[in-house]
Amino acid sequence: MILISEPTPTIAQLRAFLAVADHLHFREAASALRMSQPALSSAVSALEETLHTRLLERTTRKVLLTPSGERVAVHAARVLKAVEDLMGEVAQNREPFNGPAHLGVIPTVAPYVLPALLPMFSRRFPRLKLTVHEAKTETILEEVREGRLDMVMLALPTEVTGLVEEPLYEEDFLLAFSPDHPMAEADTPLDREALKGLDIVLLNQGHCLREQAIDVCREVGARATAATYATSLPTLVQLVAGGLGVTLLPESAVPV
């Protein structure tokens, strides 16, 4: 069986008819659309033929809408408005930094970078509708690969193929210990060799900053010997303040 689809009205036909419906005058409608009157009449006639109904009553002195024409005019206005909205939205989405954007951030960065980042986004890109998702490195990397996130902020390098990495900033690790720790009495800068023999408290598995801290320890031959681990930097600080060891903190976390 062969199905033959019925012809449907075109945007040009609807626009021509709606202009006549608004002006109730072919010459004025044609002038408003900047087209010839014969072309306008042809478009309206084609619409009537497509819909199998008479939309206008034409006399030598005036134009009137039929009952069907009044109903079609309402629908035509709605269709043309929808098309106009579509074109406007697509035009806006072609602009950079516009529309929805999903950002993933690791917990060891989010509380310390977002207070500066979010106001900047709002100020410089007011049309950007930013959504933030906080999760560990492994989770947000998987989500950006699957398209659920547009971009992620985490510690580099990730050694993940298929993604573009753009370094944003660098910061130092700082050694943190309790006020009554023997190192607190040092009046000169400490060398990294001082890490040897210390009980170093780290974050749990899955945090990229944990791996970076371990790398620093390896460089000087130190080991993370503490049996206690933390799930967040605030908890890590509280453990160290309570005398359970020392830790390495990213510099951006210190003011908070």
Side-chain angles (χ1 to χ4, degrees), residues 21-135:
D22 288 340
H23 293 276
L24 293 179
H25 198 287
F26 273 83
R27 187 175 68 252
E28 292 179 3
S31 176
L33 294 179
R34 298 182 178 181
M35 63 188 301
S36 68
Q37 188 169 332
L40 178 72
S41 298
S42 177
V44 173
S45 297
L47 179 62
E48 289 180 320
E49 184 177 344
T50 298
L51 297 178
H52 305 293
T53 187
R54 181 178 293 276
L55 303 176
L56 301 172
E57 292 289 349
R58 305 168 178 86
T59 70
T60 57
R61 303 184 59 180
K62 59 183 177 180
V63 176
L64 298 175
L65 290 174
T66 66
S68 293
E70 291 179 354
R71 291 191 293 271
V72 171
V74 173
H75 287 291
R78 190 179 303 144
V79 169
L80 293 177
K81 178 62 167 60
V83 171
E84 181 182 337
D85 292 343
L86 170 65
M87 297 300 292
E89 184 173 340
V90 171
Q92 284 189 356
N93 288 337
R94 286 199 300 264
E95 300 176 6
F97 304 108
N98 180 76
H102 302 276
L103 170 67
V105 189
I106 56 175
T108 45
V109 169
Y112 317 109
V113 176
L114 290 182
L117 183 70
L118 295 182
M120 182 274 291
F121 267 96
S122 178
R123 183 175 61 256
R124 295 185 57 185
F125 313 117
R127 292 184 176 179
L128 189 70
K129 299 177 181 179
L130 190 66
T131 301
V132 177
H133 176 64
E134 184 184 41

Side-chain angles (χ1 to χ4, degrees), residues 186-252:
D187 54 4
T188 59
L190 296 173
D191 189 88
R192 289 201 296 177
E193 298 291 328
L195 292 173
K196 292 182 178 180
L198 296 177
D199 289 331
I200 302 174
V201 185
L202 298 175
L203 292 169
N204 279 340
Q205 293 281 354
H207 292 278
C208 53
L209 287 182
R210 166 193 169 89
E211 303 306 320
Q212 291 188 335
I214 290 176
D215 288 341
V216 172
C217 294
R218 289 197 186 110
E219 289 177 8
V220 297
R223 293 187 304 169
T225 56
T228 302
Y229 297 99
T231 59
S232 67
L233 288 182
T235 301
L236 196 61
V237 169
Q238 294 302 318
L239 294 177
V240 171
L244 295 185
V246 304
T247 193
L248 294 170
L249 292 177
E251 191 171 10
S252 60

